Amino acid sequence: MTDLIPGQLLVADVGGTHARFAIVKLNAHGEAELRNYHRFACTDYASLAAIICAYRDMTGQQFKHASIAIAGVIEADQVRNSNLPWPVSCRQTMQDSGLAQLRFLNDFAALAWSVPLIKPVDAIILNQGHAAKLAGPVLVVGPGTGLGAAVWLPGPPSSILATEAGHAALAAGNPREASLLAQCWKTTPHVDNEMFLSGPGLLRLYRTLALMQDKTALLQQPAEVSAAAIAGQDAIAQEAVEIFCAMLGSLLGDLAIYYGAQTVYLAGGVPMQISELLQKSEFRNRFLNKGVMRAVVENCTVFLIQPGQLALLGAAHWYLQTES
C-alpha cells in the first residue's frame, strides 16, 4: 500500500497527556520518514477528532488515511482506557474528522513495532546481558500517564503481542512495600502496577508515604516529586523515587521471565526524568532478584531509551505491513 504514503498517511501517538502527529513519506530506500511533526496537549481539545482537524488546518495536508497508536485496549469500535481525557470511537472519529480510513493500535504495540529501528548507541544500559540483538522476544515497557507494555516477537515475519501489564496486580518485594499496598487496600480491592509505577503513581506513592508518616504531602505534581528527589530537597520524595525504581526493576524482571524476553527497553517519561537516580537505585538488584531464574535475567540486556517519535514510526510500519 505504498501508494497511500505520499502526503496521505497520518500517523499519531495518543497518550493520556500528549498526542503526537506526523505525516509519513517514503525516502529513496522505501523507508518511512516523518514530516510535519507536532505535539498537542490532549486536554486542550474536546476530542481526538478535534486534534486531527487542528493538525490538518495547521499543516494544510489533505490526508484521508490514518494509523493511530493510542493508549488502551481497542475493542471493536471503542478504545477502553481510563487515562484518556475523552471517550474514543473509531466510527465517530472518522465521521467528525473526515477520514476515509482510520486504524487504531495500542500505543506500546506501536512502540514495539519500532524495535528494529532502535539504536543501542542512543540508549543507557541498565543491565548488560549477552543475548544477541533481536535473537528472541523483546519487551518494551514504559511508565508515563499509565504503564504500558508490549512484546516484539522475531519472525519471519515478526509480530507483536500487546499487553495490559499496567493493570495486573502490583507485587511487594519487602515489608515496607507490603505496608504501602496494605494502605492502598483500605480504599481499593485491586492495586495494579500503574497505581504506583506511572507518573500519577509516583505522586500517589509519595502521598501514601506521607500519610503513613503522618506528614503533610506538600508536592502536588509527579514532576515536582521527581525534581525534589533529584535535588535532595524532600526526604519523602526521595523515598518515593527509591521505592518506585526498586518496584519497577522487580516488575521488569517478572515480565522478562513471563515472556522469555532477551532484551528489555524501558521507555516512558518518568524513567528518563529520573535516569541518574534510576541508575544508582535498587532497580538492577531487584530486576535480578529472581531466585533460580537469576541466571536467566542476568543474560537479558535492559536499555533505558527516549521513545521520541518511535511510536509514530511503529504505527507507520504496522500499517504498511498489515495493509500490503
Side-chain angles (χ1 to χ4, degrees):
M1 297 294 286
T2 56
D3 57 315
L4 292 179
I5 290 298
Q8 295 186 46
L9 180 63
L10 169 72
V11 290
D13 174 20
V14 180
T17 304
H18 294 108
R20 299 164 176 84
F21 279 63
I23 296 293
V24 176
K25 300 279 189 179
L26 291 184
N27 63 23
H29 304 288
E31 300 165 333
E33 294 184 348
L34 303 178
R35 299 286 186 271
N36 301 108
Y37 172 81
H38 193 78
R39 189 179 76 169
F40 299 87
C42 292
T43 53
D44 289 347
Y45 297 85
S47 65
L48 175 57
I51 303 180
I52 295 172
C53 293
Y55 180 77
R56 180 186 287 117
D57 293 342
M58 176 184 298
T59 62
Q61 296 287 334
Q62 297 306 310
F63 48 81
K64 287 292 184 179
H65 303 265
S67 175
I68 296 182
I70 191 163
V73 177
I74 293 91
E75 295 182 338
D77 183 61
Q78 302 291 320
V79 176
R80 186 180 298 279
N81 188 306
S82 59
N83 293 319
L84 294 171
W86 10 251
V88 176
S89 156
C90 183
R91 187 180 303 108
Q92 191 66 49
T93 302
M94 288 178 62
Q95 179 180 318
D96 294 345
S97 65
L99 289 170
Q101 183 191 43
L102 171 59
R103 298 190 63 195
F104 286 130
L105 77 160
N106 173 267
D107 58 341
F108 267 80
L111 189 56
W113 275 111
S114 75
V115 157
L117 305 175
I118 299 174
K119 300 176 181 178
V121 70
D122 297 328
I124 297 170
I125 297 176
L126 300 177
N127 183 64
Q128 180 66 70
H130 303 287
K133 185 175 185 289
L134 305 184
V138 177
L139 173 67
V140 183
V141 183
T145 306
L147 185 135
V151 184
W152 180 88
L153 301 169
S158 59
S159 59
I160 302 300
L161 174 65
T163 85
E164 284 298 322
H167 297 290
L170 180 63
N174 54 47
R176 180 60 163 164
E177 293 171 6
S179 67
L180 285 163
L181 294 184
Q183 183 66 39
C184 293
W185 285 326
K186 294 177 181 179
T187 57
T188 179
H190 178 62
V191 179
D192 61 19
N193 286 313
E194 68 176 36
M195 187 166 286
F196 281 166
L197 300 179
S198 62
L202 177 59
L203 180 61
R204 182 178 292 108
L205 182 53
Y206 164 77
R207 288 174 170 170
T208 304
L209 285 167
L211 177 64
M212 291 171 60
Q213 296 175 34
D214 197 27
K215 295 181 179 178
T216 302
L218 300 175
L219 307 176
Q220 300 300 316
Q221 298 294 330
E224 294 177 7
V225 178
S226 299
I230 292 168
Q233 296 174 340
D234 187 302
I236 300 176
Q238 288 177 277
E239 185 180 6
V241 169
E242 288 168 2
I243 293 173
F244 178 95
C245 293
M247 297 188 85
L248 183 61
S250 187
L251 173 63
L252 264 61
D254 288 344
L255 294 176
I257 292 172
Y258 292 157
Y259 298 115
Q262 296 189 19
T263 303
V264 176
Y265 288 112
L266 175 60
V270 180
M272 194 57 74
Q273 290 169 10
I274 59 172
S275 60
E276 291 188 12
L277 295 179
L278 182 67
Q279 293 174 76
K280 298 174 183 176
S281 73
E282 283 295 299
F283 173 90
R284 182 173 181 271
N285 288 337
R286 290 285 291 274
F287 177 80
L288 298 176
N289 185 28
K290 298 302 169 189
V292 296
M293 290 290 104
R294 182 184 180 93
V296 174
V297 291
E298 279 181 334
N299 198 42
C300 180
T301 301
V302 182
F303 295 101
L304 174 62
I305 62 169
Q306 176 59 263
Q309 300 175 10
L310 285 171
L312 296 173
L313 290 169
H317 181 71
W318 169 74
Y319 181 88
L320 291 172
Q321 179 161 314
T322 55
E323 286 290 318
S324 59

